[in-house]
Amino acid sequence: MPKLMLALDVLDRDEALKIVEDVKDYVDAIKVGYPLVLSAGLKIVEEIKKLCNKEVICDFKVADIPATNEKIAKITLKYADGIIVHGFVGEDSVKAVQDVAKELNKKVIMVTEMSHPGAVQFMQPIADKLAEMAKKLKVDAIVAPSTRPERLKEIKEIAKLPVITPGVGAQGGKVEDIINILDENDYVIVGRAIYLSENPKEAAKKYKEMLNKG
Ligand code: O7M
């Protein structure tokens, strides 16, 4: 059964910590990105970890030259267990982050095809090649879309790596359409369908149960 990763894209520190407290029994990892870190600072990662003792991944979709990627990775991985990078900038940029992560025993997760409709414009045509590159570089996991289950399957088959998949809930993706593609090393990312729900704890529990049943 795949694991559940909460996308904690709220803008307020106290609200973020309250949600973590509420859902911590049902989520396996927490992903924070620009919305929360630009609002609350990178130290929010430490606070979240202290509160729930779960893996916290920074989704910064790093996409710069190797020298700059290295600096971003060094700062981020002081706090986070893993960092998400873009692959389209090329092998050298991804490797620069992997070098930092290896020294700190942290994870690098690489985006292939994104989940939003616009991703078919430029990303989809190169996504299979990105999946091949991810395999070659042996990144720790890739990101592929729940909104296009057939693409999720194809990309996973090419990369043969754990997958972290967004798009379930607010973006229209459904657990039942992806559950047979995934295994115990994969994560399903859910954000708004949990943190915007009237009862985030119940919503997280519901998703966890759906994943367990699969
Ligand atoms: O469940 P949602 O739609 O509220 O949140 C989905 C989260 O996944 C949100 O944090 C997005 O930034 C992220 N995401 C996508 O939605 N689509 C992608 O293709 C990639 C990501 C992502 O996490 O990239 C690493």
Side-chain angles (χ1 to χ4, degrees):
M1 77 180 110
K3 292 175 266 196
L4 179 60
M5 181 179 288
L6 172 69
L8 191 53
D9 295 325
V10 297
L11 303 179
D12 178 78
R13 171 191 170 274
D14 295 345
E15 187 189 352
L17 295 178
K18 163 127 191 15
I19 292 166
V20 170
E21 181 70 52
D22 275 357
V23 306
K24 66 182 181 191
D25 292 340
Y26 304 107
V27 305
D28 302 290
I30 295 179
K31 183 177 84 70
V32 299
Y34 294 119
L36 182 57
V37 171
L38 292 178
S39 306
L42 190 53
K43 292 219 163 141
I44 189 76
V45 172
E46 243 174 10
E47 293 191 272
I48 293 170
K49 284 182 71 69
K50 206 186 274 177
L51 194 59
C52 68
N53 200 27
K54 305 273 160 152
E55 201 171 45
V56 178
I57 303 296
C58 273
D59 176 9
F60 292 160
K61 297 190 181 72
V62 184
D64 215 314
I65 60 166
T68 307
N69 271 10
E70 180 188 345
K71 289 180 184 138
I72 296 167
K74 276 185 177 160
I75 302 164
T76 306
L77 293 176
K78 241 198 267 178
Y79 300 97
D81 299 296
I83 185 166
I84 296 176
V85 302
H86 267 304
F88 67 78
V89 272
E91 270 185 38
D92 52 352
S93 291
V94 177
K95 271 189 196 153
V97 177
Q98 284 184 295
D99 289 344
V100 175
K102 212 171 279 168
E103 274 197 13
L104 299 169
N105 202 19
K106 304 283 175 93
K107 290 184 180 168
V108 178
I109 300 159
M110 201 196 93
V111 179
T112 60
E113 180 173 318
M114 292 183 72
S115 60
H116 61 306
V120 302
Q121 196 176 3
F122 298 116
M123 297 197 86
Q124 192 173 78
I126 60 161
D128 291 0
K129 282 191 177 163
L130 291 174
E132 279 165 24
M133 185 177 101
K135 184 181 176 197
K136 180 180 164 207
L137 293 179
K138 298 191 177 80
V139 297
D140 296 285
I142 54 165
V143 178
S146 282
T147 46
R148 286 177 225 104
E150 74 293 351
R151 291 294 297 145
L152 173 64
K153 188 164 185 279
E154 284 164 5
I155 290 167
K156 187 173 158 64
E157 278 169 6
I158 294 169
K160 297 187 172 61
L161 290 168
V163 175
I164 293 186
T165 181
V168 163
Q171 295 179 54
K174 292 192 171 58
V175 170
E176 62 262 36
D177 294 340
I178 56 163
I179 195 78
N180 293 330
I181 301 168
L182 303 174
D183 60 51
E184 69 281 0
N185 298 312
D186 301 326
Y187 287 83
V188 173
I189 301 173
V190 183
R192 287 165 286 177
I194 292 177
Y195 68 75
L196 289 184
S197 135
E198 265 181 35
N199 189 334
K201 185 175 183 168
E202 278 305 311
K205 183 169 180 246
K206 183 190 87 179
Y207 277 105
K208 186 69 185 160
E209 284 170 359
M210 278 198 270
L211 295 178
N212 282 351
K213 265 188 227 148

